[in-house]
Amino acid sequence: MSKKVLVVEDNELNLKLFCDLLRAHDFEAEAVRDGRDAVDAARAFMPDLIIMDIQLPHVSGIDLIEQLKVDETLRAIPIMAVTAYTGKGDEERIRAAGAEAYVSKPISVMRFVEVVEALL
C-alpha cells in the first residue's frame, strides 16, 4: 500500500509539481490549497507525511504546524516545511514549531524526494 502525503500549498504550480513528484514515486498525494482547511483535511486523510508551505494566505504554516503537533491524533505525523522565505532564524522557528524537516524553494527535485523518503 502506498504512503499518503498531504500537501498544503497555495501556489498552483508548486502544488502540481509536488503532487506530480509524489505520484511519480508511488505516493498517494492529497492537495490542500487553503491552509485554513489543513487540519480538517489531515484528520480526514490521515496522511503518513504532511508537506507544509510556510507562506500561506490567511494563516501561517508555522501556526498550522503547531496546531497539528498539539492534536492527539495528528501529532505523530512528520511534517516537511517548504518555504521560499528563508530569513535568519526561520529554520529554527519552523523546527521549534514541530517540523521534522525543512526544504527551501525553489526546490531541488532530488532533494525534495530524498527528504520525503527519509521521513517515511
Side-chain angles (χ1 to χ4, degrees), residues 31-113:
V32 175
R33 289 165 180 77
D34 188 331
R36 295 173 293 188
D37 300 329
V39 175
D40 288 339
R43 284 190 191 115
F45 187 57
M46 287 310 292
D48 299 292
L49 172 68
I50 298 170
I51 295 175
M52 177 72 66
D53 184 18
I54 297 301
Q55 299 292 111
L56 295 164
H58 312 296
V59 63
S60 158
I62 292 176
D63 291 342
L64 288 173
I65 292 168
E66 289 171 345
Q67 286 177 41
L68 291 161
K69 290 302 179 178
V70 297
D71 187 299
E72 293 263 336
T73 59
L74 304 173
R75 74 168 46 126
I77 301 168
I79 299 173
M80 179 174 121
V82 183
T83 185
Y85 185 72
T86 53
K88 188 171 170 37
D90 282 343
E91 182 172 357
E92 290 79 14
R93 279 193 298 281
I94 290 166
R95 287 187 181 276
E100 283 78 7
Y102 173 90
V103 176
S104 60
K105 294 178 193 171
I107 65 157
S108 151
V109 171
M110 289 189 56
R111 170 100 174 108
F112 179 88
V113 173

